[in-house]
Amino acid sequence: MSLTAVKMSEDVWFTCLTHALSTETEEIMGLLLGDIEHSKNGSVTALIWGASPQTRSDRRKDRVETHPEQLAAASAQAEISFGPFSFGKFFIF
């Protein structure tokens, strides 16, 4: 089963774009919050309803690490969010 489509709001797209453009020389990391929708015809769509940009906890150029507290906060956001698509899942971006 492979993903056949991704749907996300304009707000989520701009959050990701802004985070990506926040630095020129360092990699970034964040989490996409959403759900997976299976249709009767076999297609699988990721429905992205939130983004959680993560700040770097380590400034070494060969790695991107984040604080466990940030991941816990994103997990809590996914659990309590009342996005249009029920329960939350993480997708790394």
Side-chain angles (χ1 to χ4, degrees), residues 5-6 15 21 24 27 36 45 48 54 57 59 67-68 72-74 86:
V6 176
T15 298
L21 297 175
E24 292 182 17
E27 292 186 35
I36 301 295
T45 303
I48 309 300
Q54 305 288 291
S57 65
R59 290 292 179 187
H67 293 285
S86 69

Side-chain angles (χ1 to χ4, degrees), residues 1-7 35-47:
M1 159 182 58
S2 61
L3 194 62
T4 55
V6 176
K7 295 180 182 179
D35 295 289
I36 301 295
E37 178 181 79
H38 300 270
S39 68
K40 291 181 182 180
N41 68 4
S43 66
V44 181
T45 303
L47 304 169

Side-chain angles (χ1 to χ4, degrees), residues 7-26:
K7 295 180 182 179
M8 71 172 59
S9 71
E10 192 173 283
D11 289 342
V12 170
W13 173 253
F14 282 122
T15 298
C16 295
L17 181 62
T18 301
H19 188 48
L21 297 175
S22 66
T23 180
E24 292 182 17
T25 59
E26 295 178 338

Side-chain angles (χ1 to χ4, degrees), residues 64-86:
V64 178
E65 295 180 5
T66 188
H67 293 285
E69 296 84 6
Q70 289 185 74
L71 294 176
S75 177
Q77 179 185 356
E79 292 295 325
I80 64 172
S81 289
F82 294 104
F85 313 113
S86 69

